[in-house]
Amino acid sequence: MAATPIILDCDPGIDDAIAILLALASPEVELLAITTVVGNTSLANATQNALNVLAWAGREDIPVAAGESVAIGPPNDIPWNDAIGVHGETGLDGAELPRAASAIVDEHAVDLIARTVLARPGEITLVATGPLTNVALLLERHPDVAPALRDLVIMGGSLAGGNMSEYAEFNIWCDATAAAQVLDAGLEPVVVGLDVTRQATLSEADVHALEELPVLGPGIHGMLLFYLQKHREWHGKNAVQQHDSLALSWVIDPTLLVLRPLALGVDASDGPARGETYVSDQPAAAVTVRWAIDLHAARFRELLLERLAALAAAR
Ligand code: RIB
Ligand code: CA
């Protein structure tokens, strides 16, 4: 079966970095480009981290384009201040990756995505694992892109309580205005929220075993051990959630997730519930998303560990 060409819009960020490695390791996907957005860390850090992860994996051939450094809507300041506690000062704390010699392409993320998608209408899936600022601007500045996308997959939202606030999941919280625009664009994206990603975990033993992988093992171990410690501190859990890899895994093996069409609302106010996602109670509300209601957690974990090992062995 031919590989699905994807563009990954992300905010690396430790779980974004693991998702990049999973994409590189999976023959079911062809990673055409990475675009970056402010979220887990500053845009500058996220962009350098994307370059460093690709170089570390021997894939400097994959272009990286920087996107937006500030959200469209409130909070408008740089929300990454709030994420330093999770991904660290660099956005990839725990791993000392060599600084890539490669540079970003001289094109805004939104324009790279539009140019690439319009050149291959119906073929390319956009996977968004950070705040939706770039995606919203893409749909606004290039309205012809929406019908040309093969699919849109989003890591974001929650119907089971937030991780950034009582109500909101981080990616949606960072730019709820952008999220509302994207969810209202009629694309019916696959949306993979905390309801399932909280169960998509690697154990402490998994994290330590990864250290033994060749070349990539120490770096993967370092970043995941840092992230695991934050899970212990923030969630009291001794397992590390792989939010972004689970979203990507739907492109690799759609049977890993159970989806349900529903009308997903988002609170785009600047109030305490900003970023909350909920099932719309409007009578006859139009379906807006394919929401992930369940996952095959054991098969996902096996896939991720197997693919990381294969990528490391090939380095
Ligand atoms: O809430 C989890 C999401 O927020 C993940 O994408 C993680 O990388 C952070 O961006
Ligand atoms: Ca992310």
Side-chain angles (χ1 to χ4, degrees), residues 14-233:
I14 292 169
D15 62 324
D16 302 77
I18 300 297
I20 293 170
L21 296 178
L22 178 60
L24 296 176
S26 299
E28 299 87 350
V29 302
E30 179 192 1
L31 182 57
L32 298 178
I34 291 178
T35 54
T36 54
V37 65
V38 63
N40 284 322
T41 187
S42 65
L43 177 68
N45 281 349
T47 305
Q48 190 60 54
N49 290 338
L51 289 167
N52 293 352
V53 171
L54 287 172
W56 180 46
R59 293 302 309 272
E60 301 95 322
D61 57 295
I62 294 174
V64 175
E68 293 296 298
S69 61
V70 176
I72 292 172
N76 289 116
D77 59 13
I78 299 177
W80 60 273
N81 292 297
D82 299 283
I84 278 181
V86 179
H87 300 263
E89 292 283 342
T90 68
L92 276 188
D93 279 25
E96 302 293 328
L97 302 188
R99 185 176 178 88
S102 48
I104 59 172
V105 297
D106 183 18
E107 186 175 24
H108 189 281
V110 159
D111 298 327
L112 180 147
I113 297 170
R115 177 173 54 77
T116 308
V117 169
L118 293 175
R120 299 175 63 174
E123 293 184 40
I124 296 170
T125 293
L126 178 59
V127 180
T129 63
L132 293 170
T133 311
N134 288 346
V135 180
L137 287 176
L138 170 73
L139 300 178
E140 183 184 301
R141 291 179 187 168
H142 300 278
D144 47 349
V145 166
L149 280 171
R150 173 176 180 158
D151 226 327
L152 172 61
V153 180
I154 294 167
M155 191 281 136
S158 177
L159 297 179
N163 61 355
M164 185 60 204
S165 72
E166 181 186 346
Y167 309 100
E169 178 279 324
F170 180 79
N171 286 339
I172 306 301
W173 180 90
C174 281
D175 198 343
T177 303
Q181 291 174 11
V182 173
L183 294 177
D184 290 346
L187 283 166
E188 290 192 29
V190 172
V191 182
V192 183
L194 296 178
D195 307 41
V196 291
T197 68
R198 281 179 170 136
Q199 304 164 64
T201 59
L202 295 180
S203 68
E204 179 179 4
D206 291 334
V207 171
H208 290 310
L210 285 164
E211 186 172 21
E212 304 310 313
L213 296 181
V215 184
L216 304 180
I220 292 173
H221 175 259
M223 64 177 79
L224 285 180
L225 196 58
F226 180 90
Y227 202 30
L228 175 62
Q229 183 52 37
K230 296 302 176 184
H231 280 70
R232 290 169 180 153
E233 289 168 20

